[in-house]
């Protein structure tokens, strides 16, 4: 059975129809890449699954249960099963709380007796020292913070992790590191990813299936090799043509851009 099943989903903001008749499914232990240019509706789709935007038509099911309109306590209980990692790790952490408090946060209601031990083990699992728990977000790089965000998201042992441009702000080498970590964690825990990105190179690396969104509609979907190697839709072909090439000059340009945008982000929190 599908872990996540979205059927003919419609979301609109005032007069703007952000998603139109969107259907997709995510099987257990698999990664679905959701691609499309900026403004195509990717973030809106993730938010609809998380119950953060009002759904005007269609449905979202998790393991067969209709969760489309869950609110309040029932919605909060779902957070044990669906977690999310966003693009900007600098905005994902409260600067006044320690990393240990942040990572423990999804379990603060439960307060298991071994919480400290579980936080330490999870930090180690994402490649950090246990002592990171006593430090503050400002003491870490963007790549480290994104690994900490992943650690926090995995604490309740979710079945679905929504990654919304989760590696887009990172240097290419750090990106590769985080993508490999996600792949390893999937192999260990059998969780699924809905991996939102505008970057087809990333999708090729991590996804089993790809769904291509354009102006709120699905224009193409299928296994990653099929969509990336023999795209049917002209829009997918255009996205592929615009995707980064293995060109050192282009890579250097992108690194410089990322560094610049990171210093802007760092400026925001300090
Ligand atoms: N809160 C909002 N109110 C009004 N329009 C929005 C809101 N959030 C997003 N939109 C619009 O909905 C469309 C899809 O946005 P989004 O889901 O963020 O796209 P993506 O993540 O693919 O860049 C865009 O046209 C965007 O301007
Ligand atoms: Mg987005």
């Amino acid at each position: 059975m599908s872990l996540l099943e979205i059927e003919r989903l419609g979301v609109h903001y005032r007069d703007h129809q952000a998603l139109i008749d969107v259907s997709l499914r995510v099987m257990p232990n698999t990664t679905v890449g959701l691609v499309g240019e900026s403004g195509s509706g990717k973030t809106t789709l993730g938010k609809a699954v998380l119950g953060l935007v009002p759904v005007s038509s269609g449905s979202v099911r998790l393991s067969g249960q209709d969760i489309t309109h869950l609110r309040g306590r029932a919605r909060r209980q779902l957070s044990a099963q669906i977690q999310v990692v966003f693009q900007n790790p600098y905005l994902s952490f409260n600067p006044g709380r320690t990393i240990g408090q942040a990572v423990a946060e999804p379990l603060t209601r439960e307060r298991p007796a071994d919480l400290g031990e579980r936080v330490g083990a999870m930090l180690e699992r994402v490649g950090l020292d246990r002592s990171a728990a006593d430090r503050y977000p400002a003491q870490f790089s963007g790549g480290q913070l994104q690994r900490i965000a992943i650690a926090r998201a995995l604490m309740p042992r979710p079945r679905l992790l929504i990654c919304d441009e989760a590696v887009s702000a990172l240097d290419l080498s750090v990106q590769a590191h985080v993508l490999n970590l996600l792949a390893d964690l999937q192999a260990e825990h059998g969780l699924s990813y809905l991996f939102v990105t505008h970057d087809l190179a990333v999708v090729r690396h991590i996804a089993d299936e790809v769904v291509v969104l354009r102006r709120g509609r699905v224009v193409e979907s299928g296994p990653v090799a099929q969509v990336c190697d023999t795209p049917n839709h002209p829009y997918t072909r255009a996205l592929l043509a615009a995707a980064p090439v293995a060109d050192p000059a282009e890579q250097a340009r992108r690194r410089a851009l990322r560094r610049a945008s990171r210093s802007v982000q760092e400026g925001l929190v300090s």
Side-chain angles (χ1 to χ4, degrees), residues 87-111:
Q87 172 167 8
N88 188 337
Y90 296 97
L91 299 179
S92 307
F93 292 92
N94 180 336
R97 287 167 66 82
T98 64
I99 294 303
Q101 288 172 321
V103 172
E105 187 209 284
L107 298 183
T108 39
R109 281 161 187 280
E110 281 177 54
R111 283 245 150 249

Side-chain angles (χ1 to χ4, degrees), residues 33-48:
L34 183 64
V35 302
E37 67 195 325
S38 176
S40 55
K42 306 180 299 294
T43 293
T44 299
L45 185 68
K47 284 185 172 172

Side-chain angles (χ1 to χ4, degrees), residues 14-263:
R14 294 172 189 246
D15 54 343
H16 180 69
Q17 186 88 29
L19 293 177
I20 305 144
D21 254 355
V22 169
S23 299
L24 67 86
R25 49 176 62 193
V26 181
M27 301 304 284
N29 199 15
T30 61
T31 299
V32 172
L34 183 64
V35 302
E37 67 195 325
S38 176
S40 55
K42 306 180 299 294
T43 293
T44 299
L45 185 68
K47 284 185 172 172
V49 173
L50 293 161
L52 300 175
V53 290
V55 168
S56 43
S57 56
S59 65
V60 180
R61 289 174 177 275
L62 189 74
S63 306
Q65 184 201 355
D66 190 332
I67 62 166
T68 322
H69 301 288
L70 284 191
R71 291 283 170 270
R73 193 188 148 111
R75 172 59 70 177
R76 281 195 298 278
Q77 282 171 344
L78 261 191
S79 72
Q81 294 189 65
I82 309 178
Q83 286 278 319
V84 61
V85 175
F86 289 109
Q87 172 167 8
N88 188 337
Y90 296 97
L91 299 179
S92 307
F93 292 92
N94 180 336
R97 287 167 66 82
T98 64
I99 294 303
Q101 288 172 321
V103 172
E105 187 209 284
L107 298 183
T108 39
R109 281 161 187 280
E110 281 177 54
R111 283 245 150 249
D114 61 345
L115 186 56
E117 166 58 29
R118 279 170 68 177
V119 167
M122 190 59 88
L123 285 171
E124 279 185 347
R125 182 60 199 86
V126 300
L128 286 132
D129 197 87
R130 281 173 185 250
S131 64
D134 300 322
R135 294 161 65 195
Y136 288 88
Q139 296 172 266
F140 295 91
S141 70
Q144 287 171 325
L145 281 180
Q146 205 58 315
R147 283 187 277 147
I148 295 167
I150 292 166
R152 175 175 60 186
L154 292 183
M155 282 298 282
R157 302 190 179 125
R159 306 184 59 202
L160 178 68
L161 184 61
I162 298 175
C163 299
D164 191 344
E165 304 278 8
V167 300
S168 307
L170 307 175
D171 278 357
L172 286 185
S173 64
V174 183
Q175 263 191 25
H177 219 88
V178 173
L179 292 175
N180 289 337
L181 171 66
L182 287 170
D184 291 346
L185 290 166
Q186 183 170 66
E188 281 165 41
H189 300 281
L191 79 166
S192 297
Y193 300 129
L194 181 60
F195 201 93
V196 171
T197 178
H198 65 282
D199 189 339
L200 273 152
V202 166
V203 155
R204 228 187 244 275
H205 188 88
I206 195 166
D208 302 298
E209 308 266 330
V210 184
V211 174
V212 184
L213 268 188
R214 181 194 186 210
R215 294 186 193 162
R217 294 179 195 270
V218 174
V219 295
E220 179 158 9
S221 65
V224 65
Q226 182 189 310
V227 173
C228 290
D229 297 339
T230 54
N232 274 321
H233 198 282
Y235 180 71
T236 313
R237 274 180 237 136
L239 278 183
L240 283 162
V245 282
D247 167 359
E250 173 64 12
Q251 284 180 10
R253 192 187 67 84
R254 280 169 43 123
R255 265 198 301 277
L257 275 176
R258 288 209 177 87
R259 228 174 274 128
S261 82
R262 206 176 45 210
S263 9

